[in-house]
């Protein structure tokens, strides 16, 4: 075991504090990563505060990890010392079930192993990226292309793949009209990626205060959902709607904005249920779907796509001592558009 510096949540009600944690020794198939940057995801806040269920504390969050390989196990073939790499929301899976064999490890039938707060295959509780180093099995480490700086690449490991995967799966591209609900950490990535895929992109946000940002990021149109005329004016407009909001919204109203056979895909994860009026679905053969992250193969595809198109996250780099302040600012929607921790400050 190796002791490394980290920031951890002592309980669901306390601020995160500096601490040390133990990382396992590098096994034959493991990669040791010197973490350079770690993004702050809204999921981190939900998890450490117990919104999605009880946790085992102390807990080190962070699943948007970018760094450099400093050691590899004796049987590692995919990575070498000095490689620029990333780790996203999962660090293991059964690797044997139907979904894993398809490259959809995120939907492992036995449950994928989350990067933090999960029980790993050896029975230990995983600890995340708000730390100086992490040891991960090589199969769950991806390569960060040279065209991407590590700080703007870190949020791609969650926000990037969470939006790329449904856009890719539901065929966003030329001739498709795509709406993005919410322009936050996920939403700004959805706009950039959908635009790069060639779709016509509309942002649906509560107000117009981020309109200038949205258009700069690649949106063709921007509407305020607080204006009731938005829902009548845009009825039957979209092939695909990506809902990035982690709060309860009136899903049935948004479903009415879809064309025949359109899909509304939820990637935001509110703690409370989202009720749906059946008639909003059956009236236009519409789909209300969900999507998580992507598998390792698709995550690599996303990183390569982002490098090719010059896409990184819009970030504010912070020192570790500002993590708690950053949490409050995320909850107040006061970030454009992702906080990234410089782990050298740990």
């Amino acid at each position: 075991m190796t002791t490394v510096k980290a920031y951890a949540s002592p309980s669901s009600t306390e601020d995160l504090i500096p601490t040390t944690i133990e990382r396992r020794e590098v096994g034959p198939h493991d990669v040791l990563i010197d973490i350079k940057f770690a993004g702050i995801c809204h999921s981190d806040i939900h998890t450490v505060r117990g919104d999605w269920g009880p946790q085992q504390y102390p807990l080190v969050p962070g699943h948007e990890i970018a760094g450099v390989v400093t050691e590899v196990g004796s049987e590692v073939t995919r990575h070498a010392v000095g490689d620029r790499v990333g780790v996203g929301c999962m660090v293991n899976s059964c690797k044997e079930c139907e979904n894993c064999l398809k490259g959809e490890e995120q939907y492992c039938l036995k449950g994928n192993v989350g990067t933090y707060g999960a029980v790993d295959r050896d029975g230990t509780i995983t600890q995340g990226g708000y730390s100086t180093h992490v040891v991960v099995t090589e199969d769950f480490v991806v390569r960060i292309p040279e065209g991407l700086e590590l700080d703007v690449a870190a949020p791609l490991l969650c926000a990037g793949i969470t939006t790329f995967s449904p856009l890719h799966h539901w065929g966003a591209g030329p001739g498709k009209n795509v709406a993005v609900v919410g322009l936050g950490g996920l939403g700004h990535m959805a706009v950039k990626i959908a635009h790069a895929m060639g779709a016509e992109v509309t942002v649906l946000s509560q107000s117009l205060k981020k309109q200038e940002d949205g258009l700069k990021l690649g949106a063709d149109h921007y509407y305020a959902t607080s204006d009731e005329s938005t829902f009548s004016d845009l009825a039957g407009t979209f092939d695909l709607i990506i809902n990035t909001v982690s709060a309860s919204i009136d899903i049935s109203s948004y479903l009415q904005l879809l064309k025949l056979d359109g899909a509304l895909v939820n990637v935001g994860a509110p703690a409370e249920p989202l009720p749906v009026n059946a008639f909003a679905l059956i009236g236009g053969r519409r789909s209300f779907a969900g999507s998580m992250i992507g598998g390792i193969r698709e995550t690599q595809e996303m990183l390569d796509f982002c490098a090719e198109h010059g896409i990184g996250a819009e970030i504010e780099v912070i020192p570790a001592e500002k993590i708690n302040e950053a949490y409050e600012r995320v909850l107040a929607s006061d970030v454009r558009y992702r906080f990234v921790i410089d782990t050298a400050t740990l």
Side-chain angles (χ1 to χ4, degrees):
M1 302 288 274
T2 304
T3 302
V4 304
K5 293 177 181 177
Y7 253 69
S9 175
S11 74
S12 62
T13 58
E14 296 174 87
D15 282 351
L16 279 75
I17 58 171
T19 187
T20 58
I21 57 172
E22 299 295 321
R23 294 296 193 191
R24 69 174 184 262
E25 294 300 324
V26 175
H29 295 282
D30 286 338
V31 173
L32 173 64
I33 301 166
D34 179 0
I35 300 173
K36 301 298 184 184
F37 297 97
I40 292 179
C41 178
H42 205 145
S43 302
D44 300 344
I45 304 173
H46 280 305
T47 303
V48 301
R49 297 192 174 180
D51 295 342
W52 293 340
Q55 300 296 320
Q56 189 166 318
Y57 301 95
L59 178 62
V60 176
H63 57 209
E64 297 181 338
I65 299 168
V68 176
V69 175
T70 56
E71 185 182 343
V72 297
S74 58
E75 296 179 38
V76 168
T77 58
R78 297 176 63 164
H79 307 285
V81 171
D83 284 359
R84 303 161 79 252
V85 295
V87 177
C89 301
M90 56 184 173
V91 291
N92 219 330
S93 73
C94 79
K95 305 179 187 177
E96 298 171 347
C97 71
E98 180 183 0
N99 293 349
C100 284
L101 293 175
K102 280 186 193 168
E104 303 277 13
E105 301 93 344
Q106 74 276 32
Y107 302 122
C108 176
L109 294 174
K110 296 180 182 176
N112 74 63
V113 177
T115 303
Y116 62 87
V119 181
D120 208 343
R121 299 295 170 209
D122 61 3
T124 60
I125 302 296
T126 56
Q127 302 289 356
Y130 298 8
S131 58
T132 56
H133 296 80
V134 66
V135 179
V136 182
T137 181
E138 65 170 326
D139 293 339
F140 287 81
V141 177
V142 288
R143 177 184 51 81
I144 296 178
E146 286 300 327
L148 288 171
E149 295 298 327
L150 292 179
D151 54 357
V152 300
L156 301 181
L157 278 306
C158 174
I161 187 58
T162 296
T163 50
F164 179 91
S165 188
L167 288 165
H168 182 223
H169 181 79
W170 272 274
K176 292 294 179 77
N177 212 324
V178 174
V180 176
V181 183
L183 192 68
L186 289 173
H188 93 284
M189 290 307 313
V191 169
K192 285 189 171 197
I193 292 168
H195 173 73
M197 288 177 168
E200 185 171 344
V201 184
T202 299
V203 174
L204 302 174
S205 185
Q206 219 167 0
S207 73
L208 297 178
K209 69 179 183 180
K210 297 180 183 175
Q211 183 174 20
E212 189 179 342
D213 280 9
L215 298 176
K216 280 182 184 172
L217 292 167
D220 300 286
H221 316 284
Y222 200 108
Y223 290 86
T225 56
S226 54
D227 182 345
E228 288 183 15
S229 66
T230 292
F231 289 92
S232 54
D233 292 348
L234 298 179
T237 296
F238 302 109
D239 300 286
L240 176 63
I241 299 174
I242 305 293
N243 176 28
T244 71
V245 177
S246 283
S248 184
I249 64 170
D250 183 2
I251 291 294
S252 298
S253 294
Y254 287 86
L255 286 167
Q256 303 287 355
L257 304 181
L258 291 169
K259 295 179 181 177
L260 177 67
D261 290 328
L264 191 166
V265 183
N266 224 71
V267 295
E272 59 276 1
L274 293 170
V276 177
N277 182 329
F279 289 98
L281 288 171
I282 62 180
R285 201 162 59 198
R286 304 180 183 103
S287 301
F288 178 40
S291 179
M292 209 161 59
I293 48 173
I296 298 301
R297 182 177 61 226
E298 189 177 43
T299 302
Q300 187 64 62
E301 185 179 342
M302 176 274 304
L303 287 168
D304 294 341
F305 177 89
C306 287
E308 180 186 343
H309 293 274
I311 296 173
E314 301 294 313
I315 62 169
E316 181 177 333
V317 178
I318 60 166
E321 64 262 25
K322 290 196 173 179
I323 290 173
N324 293 300
E325 177 189 327
Y327 272 27
E328 296 308 318
R329 287 180 56 193
V330 169
L331 294 172
S333 298
D334 178 27
V335 55
R336 298 202 175 170
Y337 281 89
R338 205 61 152 189
F339 286 116
V340 172
I341 304 160
D342 177 356
T343 57
T345 61
L346 287 167

